[in-house]
Amino acid sequence: MNRILSFFAIFLPLLFAGCASNYKALYNWDYYSTQTYKYVKGGNEEDTEKLFEVYQKVLDGQEGTIRETIPPGLCADYGYLLIKAGKVEEGKALLRKEMELYPESVQFMNSIIRKVER
């Protein structure tokens, strides 16, 4: 019986210590999905403003993540919505930022910029 108790006394703490992790997310999305859902469902001005706030938090809040950079597609999405809201220059700047961060998006971002400039 002492052997069993010794076993549990020694190995259980080791087992649980192995379960602990220093988890770091690849990106910090904050409340992006929740607020995007509200925007898509409601689409009113208040939801749009809250979504813009969440975008800004995600853009600014990547410290401590694995990549420490803006998630793919976020600048493009935010830029497109800014263009739709009439903030064309800010939107185009974010589309260019998306191209800078993710070169594979260049053709798509350029096509959006060309459509906006027409």
Side-chain angles (χ1 to χ4, degrees), residues 21-81:
S21 71
N22 294 329
Y23 176 75
K24 286 176 79 174
L26 189 59
Y27 302 105
N28 174 17
W29 289 93
D30 202 39
Y31 292 102
Y32 172 79
S33 60
T34 304
Q35 197 56 48
T36 300
Y37 178 78
K38 287 180 181 178
Y39 168 78
V40 170
K41 290 299 274 185
N44 60 35
E45 194 171 318
E46 182 182 338
D47 290 331
T48 304
E49 288 303 316
K50 286 182 181 177
L51 181 60
F52 286 171
E53 289 172 18
V54 169
Y55 276 124
Q56 201 57 51
K57 281 184 183 178
V58 174
L59 289 174
D60 297 338
Q62 296 306 313
E63 279 188 36
T65 61
I66 292 172
R67 296 223 31 229
E68 293 196 353
T69 189
I70 300 166
L74 191 89
C75 288
D77 197 22
Y78 188 22
Y80 179 73
L81 288 178

Side-chain angles (χ1 to χ4, degrees), residues 103-114:
E104 63 273 16
S105 68
V106 169
Q107 286 184 322
F108 185 55
M109 294 302 107
N110 278 333
S111 69
I112 293 172
I113 291 171
R114 280 194 300 271

